[in-house]
Structures are given as C-alpha cells and as structure tokens.
Amino acid sequence: TRLVDDLLDLARITSGKIDLRFAPVTLASVIEHAVQTSSPLLQQREQTLSVALPSEDVTLFADATRLSQVVANLLNNAARYSPPGSPVAVACAVEDDQVVVRVSDRGIGIEPAMLSRIFELFVQSDRRPDRSQGGLGLGLTLVRRLVELHRGTVTARSEGLTRGSVFEVRLPVAAAVAPAPVAP
C-alpha cells in the first residue's frame, strides 16, 4: 500500500496535481506526528529514538501532513537500514532563518559515489541480496520533491558503507512564505 501511495504521490507532483494545504504549523507538531507514524517500525526493530527540538516554538508555513510524511520517510529509512537495537536520532535547530531537521543513523551507510544520485527515482544504494530491505527507491525521491515544494532542500551525508548516514532537510522559517509553484 505504501509503495502505491508513494507512486501516486510522485505522479501527482510530476503532473502538477498535488494538493498542498499550506498553513502555519509548528515544527514540534510535524516531528511529533512523524515519530508517531514511525514508532511501530522503530519498536519492532528495538531501536532507540532520540528527538532534539529547539527550546522555542518554531513556526513554518507548510502542509503539515506532507512535511510529517517527509520526516517519517526519513525515520523509516533510518530504521529499515540500521541494525536492530541501534540508535536513530532527529535533531532540529534554527540556523540563519532556516529550520534544519537532521535524521541520523548508524546503519548501512551510503557509498560516496551514490550520494549525488540517492534522491533520483528508483535509485537504491546497495541492492545485494544480503542488504535487501524492500522498497523500490521511491521514498527519497518523494522526500526531495515534497521538500522542494516547501522551498527547502534535502541532502545526504555518509562516510561510506557501514558508517551510517545523515539526511538534512532545510526549510525557511516563516509565518507567511508563499508556496512554491508546482512544476509539471
């Protein structure tokens, strides 16, 4: 079901038919909803999740559901591609009028040559049978497209295979930032 939903979301974004509902939303509520969504997988894998939020409330002009989906996708990837019992972290901060959300893990990591392609459609870093975790390479493409529609950026860092990874989403802090136009 999740794969079909991701494909439909990507088709809507690509065709310019996605319906985003921008409104003021707190960063804390976005993260809370994403954590609730990802908790069953983290618990199943006996992974510990740490969440660090800024001490003051931060408001974004965003589609709360879609932004929560972005963070949940990153958390689910961290859980799926990390060993059972390992830590996963979400650290949020405000830097230069931007909200920065970092999701980090100590999982399988990403080969340096793949870092520039990891957000492309159907791209997966390591597809050997012993590394098979399911999925078709849709989630990170969806993350990138949704973040871009929120006038943000997403990047990935890893020191290589078995060294974990960090995904960083940057979004403008604003109470009234106009949404980005949907390009076909």
Side-chain angles (χ1 to χ4, degrees):
T1 301
R2 194 174 137 242
L3 290 174
V4 171
D5 288 343
D6 285 353
L7 275 172
L8 289 172
D9 284 343
L10 283 169
R12 286 183 196 109
I13 290 170
T14 301
S15 66
K17 295 180 181 176
I18 191 162
D19 183 27
L20 297 179
R21 295 190 173 109
F22 286 85
V25 60
T26 65
L27 175 62
S29 67
V30 167
I31 300 300
E32 179 183 346
H33 187 263
V35 167
Q36 288 174 353
T37 301
S38 300
S39 286
L41 180 58
L42 290 160
Q43 290 171 359
Q44 175 189 349
R45 297 185 54 79
E46 299 177 349
Q47 293 163 324
T48 57
L49 175 65
S50 63
V51 177
L53 293 168
S55 57
E56 295 183 19
D57 286 339
V58 178
T59 300
L60 304 164
F61 192 71
D63 182 313
T65 301
R66 295 304 186 166
L67 210 47
S68 292
Q69 181 181 7
V70 163
V71 178
N73 276 3
L74 294 175
L75 284 171
N76 287 341
N77 276 358
R80 198 176 300 121
Y81 295 104
S82 296
S86 64
V88 173
V90 177
C92 304
V94 177
E95 298 174 4
D96 300 324
D97 294 329
Q98 291 185 321
V99 169
V100 181
V101 178
R102 291 180 185 95
V103 176
S104 59
D105 63 62
R106 295 188 189 159
I108 65 170
I110 304 166
E111 296 175 68
M114 291 300 297
L115 285 171
S116 64
R117 298 186 53 228
I118 198 72
F119 294 101
E120 294 175 13
L121 190 58
F122 303 120
V123 169
Q124 291 182 313
S125 179
D126 190 350
R127 299 197 60 158
R128 291 179 288 173
D130 65 326
R131 300 265 189 203
S132 176
Q133 304 294 329
L136 294 174
L138 302 173
L140 291 178
T141 302
L142 184 57
V143 163
R144 183 187 71 197
R145 299 275 177 94
L146 288 172
V147 167
E148 288 172 349
L149 290 173
H150 283 83
R151 295 195 186 268
T153 60
V154 60
T155 57
R157 293 189 321 265
S158 177
E159 294 183 19
L161 293 178
T162 73
R163 306 288 304 264
S165 58
V166 178
F167 287 84
E168 182 177 281
V169 174
R170 289 183 170 268
L171 300 163
V173 175
V177 173
V182 178

